[in-house]
Amino acid sequence: MSKKNTVHGVLAGMRRGGGGGGRGRGQGGIRFGNEPGMRPAGMSLADEEAMEQRMLVSTGNTDKRARHQHDQEVFHTLLRHHDQIQRELTRLPDGIRSLTTSANPEIVSLLHDHVPAMHHRLEENFGLRFWDPAFPEIFAQREKVRMEVTLVPNGVLVEETSEDPNVVTLIQAHGIVVSLFVQRGFAQAQEVSPLPDNYQRVLGG
């Protein structure tokens, strides 16, 4: 069985455990789905939902809408169970190397789903977290980012690098933010990710 099929089988098992909306459970008790009312600090739920709908409608692509919903559910599930995830971040001269792992096979399957999906979204400029300045900047600089994703038995190894020193600064800052997601879960995910003072923005704001 392929890794893709294995991952989808695990996710289907979670959904069968209780449906959507964060109520599904896998065999190990992992709640799968979106967190109700998940939104950035200072943004109303109505504003968040309006922004999300504009983004989804603008794609004009039902497949992308379904993918975004799936990606969001996986991300929220990982945030909910962040205490079962370990992450080692190494700063490189031209970027970062990260190793994100878990002792829980269900969490590993979610990591195997989430990280390649984020890599694919970056490659095709299928953005997310538009309200958080660091994420639009990463997508705006995507052509200068090299990302290698390796699935390992207990997680994911990623090397993210650039030949542009300004983009290296952005990559390293983003790596720290992801580590904070692992450490703090939803508490961090609802905060704006700060851009380094020495980073030169390519987008307004």
Side-chain angles (χ1 to χ4, degrees), residues 15-199:
R15 291 192 181 96
R16 285 194 298 271
R23 295 185 298 275
R25 291 181 182 272
Q27 293 180 351
I30 297 298
R31 290 177 54 211
F32 180 81
N34 288 330
E35 188 75 5
M38 168 64 180
R39 61 188 182 278
M43 176 180 282
S44 72
L45 180 58
D47 287 343
E48 183 203 18
E49 290 177 343
M51 179 179 289
E52 189 93 342
Q53 285 303 312
R54 285 197 300 271
M55 185 276 290
L56 292 176
V57 170
S58 70
T59 68
N61 185 314
T62 56
D63 177 63
K64 278 193 171 182
R65 295 185 203 181
R67 281 176 51 203
H68 178 76
Q69 177 67 22
H70 172 81
D71 291 345
Q72 187 180 63
E73 289 179 349
V74 172
F75 178 54
H76 283 197
T77 304
L78 290 170
L79 290 173
R80 186 177 298 114
H81 301 284
H82 70 98
D83 58 341
Q84 298 187 49
I85 304 171
Q86 297 76 47
R87 179 173 162 90
E88 300 174 12
L89 182 66
T90 303
R91 182 173 176 147
L92 306 174
D94 57 351
I96 59 169
R97 178 186 300 115
S98 63
L99 177 63
T100 308
T101 60
S102 178
N104 185 329
E106 291 185 2
I107 298 295
V108 172
S109 293
L110 292 173
L111 291 170
H112 284 181
D113 184 307
H114 174 71
V115 179
M118 294 303 101
H119 183 199
H120 184 43
R121 289 182 73 134
L122 184 66
E123 289 182 323
E124 64 179 340
N125 195 26
F126 184 19
L128 71 169
R129 288 179 70 92
F130 298 99
W131 54 270
D132 188 349
F135 284 79
E137 286 287 330
I138 282 280
F139 279 88
Q141 299 272 31
R142 67 191 180 281
E143 294 183 357
K144 297 181 180 180
V145 176
R146 295 191 306 270
M147 190 173 178
E148 295 183 11
V149 176
T150 304
L151 304 186
V152 297
N154 62 340
V156 184
L157 176 68
V158 176
E159 283 201 6
E160 196 170 355
T161 59
S162 179
E163 296 178 356
D164 184 329
N166 190 47
V167 178
V168 171
T169 298
L170 179 61
I171 288 171
Q172 292 173 342
H174 178 258
I176 292 171
V177 167
V178 174
S179 292
L180 288 173
F181 288 166
V182 171
Q183 291 174 22
R184 302 184 64 233
F186 282 108
Q188 182 65 39
Q190 295 183 92
E191 298 293 331
V192 171
S193 307
L195 288 166
D197 291 339
N198 60 336
Y199 172 72

